[in-house]
Amino acid sequence: MSHHLKSTLGCVFVVICLFCACQPNPLVPAIPPDHVALISRESITTTAGITVLADSVNVSICPSNANCFAPNSASVKLQLSKNAQTQSVYLWTFIPNYKRMSSINPPADSVTVAFEGQQYKVILRDGGFRKGPENANLPEAVVQVSRL
């Protein structure tokens, strides 16, 4: 094989590799501002000023071609706090059409909490998995916290 042909093939290979490397990853839609995505023991403060701590997060996604007792469900135990007040809630829901971060899957489990006279609706919207250390899939819950 001639030197010119080797160089040309090498350039074509590099261009193909660059093209493949530049393909966009599938986009996961951003969650709305009043939603938080939490794994167990993670804490996030919402736009409403409420700190949400996930005591536990459980997600069960039924593998395709399997018949599961409780397919596509999520549960979360949360501690909600604002200033000196703290409340614990437990939410569980089916995820009827599992689609990561869709946030529109009805039905959703919800509860109303109050801090300093203001009521808030806490809704478990979705469940999925987040890549953790060593590519471990960590259960993650998407929770909406909105003022009423």
Side-chain angles (χ1 to χ4, degrees), residues 8-66:
T8 302
L9 288 175
C11 288
V12 168
F13 178 76
V14 168
V15 169
I16 290 172
C17 289
L18 288 174
F19 178 76
C20 291
C22 292
Q23 293 298 312
N25 291 332
L27 292 177
V28 173
I31 60 174
D34 61 346
H35 290 50
V36 292
L38 300 155
I39 59 173
S40 289
R41 307 308 311 155
E42 187 172 38
S43 176
I44 297 177
T45 301
T46 69
T47 56
I50 296 174
T51 300
V52 182
L53 168 66
D55 281 336
S56 65
V57 177
N58 296 295
V59 175
S60 175
I61 304 300
C62 186
S64 58
N65 302 324

Side-chain angles (χ1 to χ4, degrees), residues 49-108:
I50 296 174
T51 300
V52 182
L53 168 66
D55 281 336
S56 65
V57 177
N58 296 295
V59 175
S60 175
I61 304 300
C62 186
S64 58
N65 302 324
N67 194 4
C68 301
F69 174 71
N72 305 347
S73 63
S75 65
V76 63
K77 183 177 178 191
L78 303 170
Q79 284 186 30
L80 305 157
S81 59
K82 185 169 184 178
N83 298 328
Q85 297 177 325
T86 300
Q87 295 184 41
S88 294
V89 299
Y90 177 81
L91 301 168
W92 181 92
T93 192
F94 281 112
I95 306 170
N97 299 306
Y98 177 67
K99 188 180 248 186
R100 179 71 183 101
M101 302 291 234
S102 66
S103 189
I104 56 172
N105 290 329

Side-chain angles (χ1 to χ4, degrees), residues 101-116:
M101 302 291 234
S102 66
S103 189
I104 56 172
N105 290 329
D109 194 7
S110 66
V111 67
T112 300
V113 296
F115 291 103
E116 301 171 343

